[in-house]
Amino acid sequence: MCLSGTLEDKLAAAAEAGFDGIELFENDLVVAPFSPAEVRRRCADLGLSIDLYQPFRDFEAVPPDVLAANLRRAERKFDVMAELGADTVLVCSSVSPDAVDDDDLAAEQLHALASRAADRGMRIAYEALAWGRFVNTYDHSWRIVRRADHPALGLCLDSFHVLSRGSDLAAIRTIPGSKIFFLQLADAPRMHMDVLQWSRHYRLFPGQGAFDLTGFVEKVLSTGYSGPLSLEVFNDVFRQSDPHRAAVDAMRSLLLLQEHEMPAAPELSGHAFTELAVTGPEIANALGRMGFTHVGQHPSKPVQLWRQGAARVVLNEGAGEISALAVESADPQRSIARAEAFRSHELSREQVSLPWVEAPDGTAVFFCGEGWQQDFEPTGRVDDGGAGLTRTDHVSLSQPFDNFDEAALFYRTVLGLRPELPTEFAAPFGLVRSRAVTNAARDVRISLNVSLLRRGEWAPGVPDPQHIAFATDDVFASASAMRENGAPLLKIPDNYYDDLDARLALSPELLASLREYSVLYDRDEDGEFLHFYTELLGSRVFFEVVQRVGGYLGYGGVNAPVRMAAHRRLRLARA
Amino acid sequence: MCLSGTLEDKLAAAAEAGFDGIELFENDLVVAPFSPAEVRRRCADLGLSIDLYQPFRDFEAVPPDVLAANLRRAERKFDVMAELGADTVLVCSSVSPDAVDDDDLAAEQLHALASRAADRGMRIAYEALAWGRFVNTYDHSWRIVRRADHPALGLCLDSFHVLSRGSDLAAIRTIPGSKIFFLQLADAPRMHMDVLQWSRHYRLFPGQGAFDLTGFVEKVLSTGYSGPLSLEVFNDVFRQSDPHRAAVDAMRSLLLLQEHEMPAAPELSGHAFTELAVTGPEIANALGRMGFTHVGQHPSKPVQLWRQGAARVVLNEGAGEISALAVESADPQRSIARAEAFRSHELSREQVSLPWVEAPDGTAVFFCGEGWQQDFEPTGRVDDGGAGLTRTDHVSLSQPFDNFDEAALFYRTVLGLRPELPTEFAAPFGLVRSRAVTNAARDVRISLNVSLLRRGEWAPGVPDPQHIAFATDDVFASASAMRENGAPLLKIPDNYYDDLDARLALSPELLASLREYSVLYDRDEDGEFLHFYTELLGSRVFFEVVQRVGGYLGYGGVNAPVRMAAHRRLRLARA
């Protein structure tokens, strides 16, 4: 269910990503032109075991005639499983109107089913659906399994069904590991909706959502459970995205569950630089007017290092986009070892001496150790502090629609960053979801953005712009210096300031300065955020300058629509 | 909120679609570079009044210091409204942690606000949000407004907030129409989720969802309310789709609310024909092998009429798609009058004598009166009944992502068809939503399909296939005859039949016949559905043959994934 495509697409992707086995979802088999025996051979050829056949629905606690029909149905499925070489079938708790609320009857009928399974060397894994009609908690399903008391009858535990209901996990440890036949894992964002819809559309791989999967798995393993850790993730996006990528994403999520066994992520200590691939002089001109100095030049390539304080930008040739993030790592080689362990492979690029991997959106991620600036020859020009920028505050990247959750997990696993809670805001051309990943010291911050629905023809700006935000300790001084220098700063409409005044009753002096310099403002209980933007430079890149006051940890998302509308108008005006 | 884009995009779209006025959503103004006075002029130039300014949040039932801040905030917004020339502001019930559950205090403070508004010739329209902290039903908001007893304080009624909670509508008639200051309309599908999320993401225009908007509006109008009927539709799709189309869709939804004043839709009595625009002989060959006869030829164009019983296909030249639906109308000119009244304009195409309009997906819809076949000269070939097809059962069209709900409303209004409840199923490359529109006699059936998320690069088959389903009274006889003739029928995998046997325990004879002829099967409480498919002909078109037994009203959606997987494999095999 985690992967898009037909059965052969899914099997190839799972094998390629290094999975040991699969759950076979009945629908995939039913629509396939291969006999179960052929599927068995194909899986064997790919090194995949078939660990579970599923789902078998609406079996237990029914009148005798329905039971007879259900047993007939089960026997047919056992035939298929025998051909497949699968020995465990998932039976999920009934939602049928035929079922009755009678644990003894459920136990008795599951016992009968288990006996038939045992005759064929098979096992029944009984699972409480969170929306089961009468059985919808794991402890209830365990009471029934214990009562049925058949060696071929055990439990399937699914993290979503357990955690979505907020069940107390203490009882897990009362279940013998040998009676847990199967473990299914899925994360999810916290949502306030019908649990069935939540489950069918919004599940995520472990580490992408809000559930504590690590704690859950520890509890289950403490019972002695030694079966597969399997992923069962119903997700509208994954259902339609490239299964080869999704399978790697999935594998990464499982590896994260055993993070203590993985190479630790070396400490990161800031953005070394951000690389822009540019055509023409527009961006270099803007950097100059913003107070940056071209301090270094690559000896053999048209690659320039620009600097202002500890804010650094590398200009390379290309189509006008952010082509690389470079983070300072305490140990670049160990950073690469960590990346490799999480299935992100070191790449090479001509004349790049830094170790690097590729993020899901295609951006290169360089790991810089001490002395990385030696790749550049000094130009002789000296950074005089320019307009007061001190360092890179964050880099903001628009993500491809299919890869937003993959990206959060990539940064969490490969770089050891921490994803923050996703936020949403209404932009002029649709809703935008945003999620930052940061290190503990918050000197590496990456903001990931995606439209809530993949954009169509109407919405402009596909791909959406990307930007680099630089920090200053005095936003007005920086803005003033840049304006002096003729930097292409973005004009913010007066209406914005009138609204700010109405909402926040700022001091007239502050409001006047904000208005004067087109600086935007946000605050929360911990501090303030003052920031301004440049115009779009080329089709896709702009810069931001930010001042954080106090403990403000956000990114001024409330102001993003103002910037977007202003960029849109400039784009139209130039078109 | 109904329209995507910046303020100028929205105003242009609303004016073009014939709206008299707008609600101005604060965010649109805040990000705009036009002063409120400039917006006022722009609206006036476009013939749009500004009927409401909104939203003003979290005002009432607060401690004195918060009240003072809120009144200051209100005065600033009154300043903006004065410049705009807007005299009514929407105040929605508080969700603030500062608010207290005290109707007297709420009434007192709203009275104070209304007094200040009145001083400036303005009015307050108080609205109960369905998720308001203390005030979340319309009757509660009315009790507060009545208690406050100020002429400048009235209600805003929003159909979503009222209907989503299932409130009893009887109390609406106890409100004097003069105290209802504003009426907002939104439909929605029935969903089981947090009402805030439901409201913010899934609202629809009246007639597109499950609410009885006509009944609601009647109740409100019966109070004597004579203000605007305004649309407030938060919808993730509309937020990012072409506002010019959405505005026409919106206008259509309002016209539907006064359907009794619109020209009635003439009775439709079946699919006259379906036109395919084709290149090469593949589809003509397939029709021939399926038992169709080329009975007519256009005198001046390379357009052919093929027939079998009352099933008719017109072949024209083109890129391999369904280019037109033709329905038999009791009065084609009145059909056009109806279409025009609902803002769908008659078009002309060279040498087409039939009156027609264009559906949202670009398909032409022809209205055929008696004698339409006279456009074709007989070829002399005679339909001998072929393979037993009797008529067109339905036409299935894949819709552009942005226009699915627009399409349902188009067919409902322009053709007078009835949309059925949407259904969803999991296809190999993502979820698919399907919604049929039919006439009362069910001899015109159109199935509209869309993927739940706009497809990306991975998923094949964009645009998705379209097909025509023909009816037969004996599916096996038709399949047998077509197979004899070498029609390119789609082979269904054995696994499908094994599963059918397990699930439904059909008689061995029936199962054997289904398997033998690759016929698929579905049943419900009312009847049975037996159907088979051709392979894909070209890149986008295929045919289906269906037999309905008893009162089965569906389209065999449960079997669609089987067909999709089979088509996908053929496509890959040929690639």
Side-chain angles (χ1 to χ4, degrees):
Chain A
M1 294 317 304
C2 308
L3 302 174
S4 184
T6 54
L7 185 57
E8 52 271 47
D9 294 317
K10 297 180 185 205
L11 294 180
E16 191 181 291
F19 280 86
D20 302 310
I22 59 157
E23 297 180 32
L24 188 58
F25 203 75
E26 186 163 276
N27 288 20
D28 286 322
L29 181 67
V30 165
V31 308
F34 320 111
S35 72
E38 284 166 343
V39 172
R40 176 187 201 157
R41 278 194 295 278
R42 187 174 280 239
C43 286
D45 290 346
L46 291 167
L48 295 169
S49 53
I50 302 177
D51 297 324
L52 187 79
Y53 187 79
Q54 74 132 317
F56 192 80
R57 297 186 193 278
D58 295 335
F59 173 78
E60 79 281 14
V62 291
D65 59 320
V66 180
L67 176 65
N70 287 351
L71 286 172
R72 176 188 178 280
R73 179 160 61 97
E75 290 286 357
R76 292 292 193 281
K77 295 304 176 185
F78 292 158
D79 294 343
V80 171
M81 289 169 62
E83 261 204 86
L84 285 169
D87 70 356
T88 307
V89 60
L90 183 150
V91 173
C92 46
S93 62
S94 184
V95 300
S96 166
D98 291 327
V100 296
D101 186 8
D102 183 335
D103 287 359
D104 287 331
L105 187 62
E108 180 187 313
Q109 294 182 349
L110 284 166
H111 188 283
L113 182 66
S115 298
R116 294 187 180 222
D119 290 345
R120 308 181 63 154
M122 294 173 184
R123 309 188 306 170
I124 306 298
Y126 182 57
E127 174 188 69
L129 296 175
W131 55 89
R133 187 152 170 236
F134 301 114
V135 179
N136 43 45
T137 60
Y138 79 92
D139 45 316
H140 192 178
S141 62
W142 168 232
R143 287 199 300 278
I144 291 172
V145 165
R146 194 172 45 188
R147 197 167 304 177
D149 192 24
H150 192 288
L153 179 66
L155 283 185
C156 173
L157 291 182
D158 177 309
S159 63
F160 182 89
H161 292 303
V162 176
L163 298 171
S164 65
R165 296 187 59 107
S167 296
D168 184 348
L169 302 188
I172 291 178
R173 299 196 49 193
T174 67
I175 307 169
S178 61
K179 293 303 280 183
I180 303 175
F181 284 3
F182 209 76
L183 177 59
Q184 293 179 319
L185 300 175
D187 203 345
R190 282 270 161 226
M191 301 185 86
H192 299 283
M193 61 165 62
D194 170 58
V195 70
L196 173 64
Q197 295 301 317
W198 186 17
S199 173
R200 291 271 170 86
H201 296 276
Y202 299 101
R203 290 185 176 207
L204 291 169
F205 293 127
Q208 294 178 332
F211 290 162
D212 175 13
L213 267 291
T214 305
F216 177 78
V217 169
E218 272 171 14
K219 280 251 173 10
V220 175
L221 294 184
S222 74
T223 67
Y225 174 75
S226 61
L229 305 198
S230 186
L231 296 162
E232 193 198 30
V233 174
F234 301 86
N235 179 293
D236 290 355
V237 177
F238 301 166
R239 271 186 193 278
Q240 52 89 66
S241 63
D242 183 340
H244 294 272
R245 297 188 63 146
V248 173
D249 192 25
M251 178 55 78
R252 225 170 244 156
S253 78
L254 287 179
L255 294 170
L256 182 65
L257 292 175
Q258 53 190 42
E259 191 171 16
H260 56 283
E261 297 174 20
M262 307 295 282
E267 196 185 337
L268 304 181
S269 55
H271 294 268
F273 65 87
T274 311
E275 182 187 82
L276 290 167
V278 303
T279 306
E282 186 174 11
I283 287 179
N285 280 344
L287 286 173
R289 292 177 190 280
M290 291 173 72
F292 281 81
T293 303
H294 174 193
V295 295
Q297 183 70 37
H298 194 278
S300 58
K301 289 181 296 177
V303 176
Q304 308 176 342
L305 175 63
W306 290 69
R307 191 161 84 79
Q308 180 170 181
R312 299 180 203 89
V313 173
V314 165
L315 296 185
N316 203 337
E317 290 186 324
E321 58 181 15
I322 293 177
S323 43
L325 298 175
V327 291
E328 292 174 351
S329 166
D331 186 339
Q333 282 313 321
R334 282 203 300 126
S335 285
I336 285 292
R338 164 96 175 178
E340 293 275 353
F342 277 108
R343 303 292 194 271
S344 182
H345 300 297
E346 183 174 9
L347 298 169
S348 64
R349 194 166 81 181
E350 212 188 333
Q351 295 168 301
V352 173
S353 60
L354 298 166
W356 65 288
V357 296
E358 193 175 87
D361 66 352
T363 305
V365 177
F366 296 128
F367 297 103
C368 297
E370 281 180 28
W372 65 266
Q373 298 183 54
Q374 292 163 9
D375 282 6
F376 294 90
E377 293 171 352
T379 58
R381 272 164 252 164
V382 177
D383 167 32
D384 63 355
L389 304 189
T390 55
R391 55 185 192 81
T392 300
D393 183 84
H394 65 276
V395 179
S396 178
L397 297 172
S398 294
Q399 298 298 294
F401 182 80
D402 285 345
N403 309 110
F404 186 69
D405 293 304
E406 179 189 344
L409 191 58
F410 167 85
Y411 287 107
R412 176 165 183 178
T413 53
V414 173
L415 278 78
L417 301 178
R418 187 178 47 193
E420 300 181 0
L421 282 179
T423 59
E424 275 177 30
F425 61 86
F429 299 96
L431 296 171
V432 172
R433 183 173 291 161
S434 186
R435 185 171 199 181
V437 292
T438 63
N439 62 351
R442 295 187 181 271
D443 54 12
V444 174
R445 304 186 203 233
I446 303 162
S447 166
L448 307 170
N449 302 283
V450 74
S451 53
L452 205 65
L453 291 180
R454 193 195 304 274
R455 295 285 175 77
E457 286 171 17
W458 156 248
V462 177
D464 285 312
Q466 310 167 313
H467 79 274
I468 310 173
F470 303 110
T472 178
D473 294 329
D474 185 339
V475 73
F476 298 116
S478 293
S480 170
M482 289 185 194
R483 184 196 284 182
E484 288 284 295
N485 285 333
L489 304 186
L490 188 68
K491 173 92 177 92
I492 300 300
D494 269 339
N495 294 344
Y496 170 78
Y497 297 99
D498 295 341
D499 179 62
L500 212 52
D501 182 29
R503 282 194 291 126
L504 304 180
L506 301 177
S507 76
E509 298 72 28
L510 176 58
L511 192 71
S513 297
L514 293 170
R515 195 188 295 262
E516 165 67 22
Y517 291 104
S518 277
V519 172
L520 299 106
Y521 181 87
D522 189 27
R523 73 181 177 205
D524 61 17
E525 51 276 27
D526 300 312
E528 294 172 296
F529 190 67
L530 298 92
H531 58 138
F532 64 89
Y533 299 104
T534 69
E535 298 180 355
L536 266 182
L537 306 167
S539 65
R540 235 202 134 178
V541 173
F542 63 94
F543 299 115
E544 180 181 9
V545 174
V546 314
Q547 181 181 2
R548 293 175 185 274
V549 180
Y552 182 96
L553 298 179
Y555 299 82
V558 67
N559 295 324
V562 186
R563 187 259 302 160
M564 288 174 172
H567 277 160
R568 150 83 169 165
R569 288 199 180 85
L570 283 174
R571 208 193 281 254
L572 282 182
R574 288 171 188 175
Chain B
M1 297 315 305
C2 309
L3 301 175
S4 184
T6 54
L7 185 57
E8 52 271 47
D9 295 316
K10 297 180 185 205
L11 294 180
E16 191 181 291
F19 281 85
D20 302 309
I22 58 157
E23 297 180 32
L24 188 58
F25 203 75
E26 186 164 276
N27 289 18
D28 285 323
L29 181 67
V30 165
V31 307
F34 320 111
S35 71
E38 284 166 342
V39 172
R40 177 187 199 156
R41 278 195 297 277
R42 188 175 279 239
C43 286
D45 289 347
L46 291 167
L48 294 169
S49 54
I50 301 177
D51 297 323
L52 187 79
Y53 187 77
Q54 74 130 320
F56 192 80
R57 297 187 193 277
D58 296 334
F59 173 78
E60 77 282 15
V62 291
D65 58 322
V66 180
L67 177 65
N70 287 350
L71 286 170
R72 176 188 179 281
R73 179 160 61 98
E75 291 286 358
R76 292 292 191 281
K77 294 304 175 184
F78 292 157
D79 293 344
V80 172
M81 289 169 61
E83 260 204 84
L84 285 169
D87 70 357
T88 308
V89 60
L90 181 149
V91 173
C92 46
S93 62
S94 184
V95 299
S96 168
D98 291 328
V100 295
D101 185 10
D102 182 336
D103 286 1
D104 286 333
L105 188 62
E108 181 187 313
Q109 295 182 349
L110 284 166
H111 187 283
L113 181 67
S115 298
R116 294 186 180 221
D119 289 346
R120 308 180 63 152
M122 295 174 186
R123 312 188 303 171
I124 307 296
Y126 182 57
E127 174 188 68
L129 296 176
W131 55 89
R133 185 150 172 239
F134 302 114
V135 180
N136 43 46
T137 60
Y138 79 92
D139 44 317
H140 191 178
S141 61
W142 168 232
R143 287 197 301 275
I144 291 172
V145 164
R146 193 173 45 188
R147 198 167 305 177
D149 191 24
H150 192 291
L153 178 66
L155 282 185
C156 174
L157 291 182
D158 177 309
S159 64
F160 181 89
H161 293 303
V162 176
L163 298 172
S164 65
R165 297 187 57 107
S167 298
D168 184 348
L169 302 186
I172 290 178
R173 300 198 47 192
T174 67
I175 308 169
S178 61
K179 292 302 278 184
I180 302 175
F181 284 2
F182 209 76
L183 176 59
Q184 293 178 319
L185 300 175
D187 202 345
R190 280 271 162 226
M191 300 183 88
H192 299 283
M193 60 165 62
D194 169 60
V195 70
L196 173 63
Q197 294 302 317
W198 185 18
S199 172
R200 291 271 170 86
H201 297 275
Y202 300 101
R203 288 184 177 207
L204 291 169
F205 293 127
Q208 294 177 332
F211 291 162
D212 175 15
L213 267 292
T214 305
F216 178 80
V217 169
E218 273 171 14
K219 282 252 172 12
V220 176
L221 294 183
S222 74
T223 67
Y225 174 76
S226 61
L229 305 198
S230 186
L231 295 163
E232 192 198 33
V233 174
F234 301 86
N235 179 293
D236 290 355
V237 176
F238 301 165
R239 271 187 193 277
Q240 53 88 66
S241 63
D242 183 340
H244 294 272
R245 295 188 65 146
V248 172
D249 192 25
M251 179 54 80
R252 225 171 244 156
S253 79
L254 287 179
L255 295 170
L256 182 65
L257 292 174
Q258 52 190 43
E259 191 171 14
H260 57 282
E261 296 174 22
M262 306 296 282
E267 194 184 342
L268 304 182
S269 54
H271 294 267
F273 64 87
T274 312
E275 183 186 81
L276 290 166
V278 302
T279 306
E282 188 176 9
I283 287 180
N285 280 344
L287 287 173
R289 291 176 192 278
M290 291 173 71
F292 280 82
T293 302
H294 175 194
V295 296
Q297 182 70 38
H298 194 278
S300 58
K301 288 182 298 178
V303 176
Q304 307 176 342
L305 175 63
W306 290 68
R307 190 163 83 82
Q308 181 171 181
R312 298 180 204 90
V313 174
V314 165
L315 297 185
N316 203 336
E317 289 183 328
E321 59 182 16
I322 293 176
S323 44
L325 298 174
V327 290
E328 291 174 352
S329 166
D331 187 338
Q333 282 313 322
R334 280 203 301 125
S335 286
I336 286 292
R338 165 94 175 180
E340 294 274 354
F342 278 107
R343 303 294 193 269
S344 181
H345 300 297
E346 182 173 11
L347 298 169
S348 63
R349 192 165 83 180
E350 208 187 337
Q351 294 167 304
V352 174
S353 59
L354 298 165
W356 66 287
V357 295
E358 193 175 86
D361 66 353
T363 304
V365 177
F366 296 129
F367 297 102
C368 298
E370 279 178 33
W372 64 267
Q373 298 184 53
Q374 293 162 8
D375 281 5
F376 294 90
E377 292 171 353
T379 58
R381 273 165 252 163
V382 177
D383 168 32
D384 62 357
L389 303 188
T390 56
R391 55 185 192 80
T392 299
D393 182 85
H394 64 277
V395 179
S396 177
L397 298 172
S398 295
Q399 298 299 293
F401 182 81
D402 285 345
N403 309 109
F404 186 69
D405 293 306
E406 177 188 346
L409 191 60
F410 167 86
Y411 287 107
R412 177 166 181 175
T413 53
V414 174
L415 277 78
L417 300 179
R418 185 178 50 192
E420 300 181 0
L421 282 179
T423 59
E424 275 176 30
F425 61 86
F429 298 96
L431 295 171
V432 172
R433 183 172 290 160
S434 186
R435 186 171 199 180
V437 291
T438 63
N439 63 350
R442 294 188 181 271
D443 54 13
V444 173
R445 302 187 204 233
I446 303 163
S447 167
L448 308 170
N449 302 283
V450 74
S451 53
L452 204 65
L453 292 179
R454 194 194 304 273
R455 295 283 175 80
E457 285 172 16
W458 156 248
V462 177
D464 285 312
Q466 311 168 312
H467 80 272
I468 311 172
F470 302 110
T472 177
D473 294 329
D474 184 340
V475 74
F476 298 116
S478 292
S480 170
M482 289 184 193
R483 184 196 284 182
E484 287 283 297
N485 284 334
L489 304 187
L490 187 68
K491 173 89 178 91
I492 299 302
D494 268 339
N495 295 344
Y496 170 78
Y497 297 99
D498 295 342
D499 179 64
L500 212 51
D501 181 28
R503 285 195 289 126
L504 304 181
L506 301 176
S507 76
E509 299 71 30
L510 176 57
L511 191 71
S513 296
L514 294 170
R515 194 187 294 261
E516 165 69 22
Y517 291 105
S518 277
V519 172
L520 299 105
Y521 181 87
D522 189 26
R523 71 182 178 204
D524 62 16
E525 51 277 27
D526 299 314
E528 294 171 296
F529 190 65
L530 298 92
H531 58 138
F532 64 90
Y533 299 104
T534 69
E535 298 180 356
L536 268 180
L537 307 167
S539 65
R540 236 203 131 175
V541 172
F542 64 94
F543 299 115
E544 180 183 8
V545 174
V546 314
Q547 181 181 359
R548 294 176 184 273
V549 180
Y552 182 97
L553 298 180
Y555 298 83
V558 67
N559 295 323
V562 185
R563 187 259 303 161
M564 289 173 171
H567 277 160
R568 149 82 168 164
R569 288 198 181 86
L570 284 174
R571 209 192 280 252
L572 283 181
R574 287 174 187 171

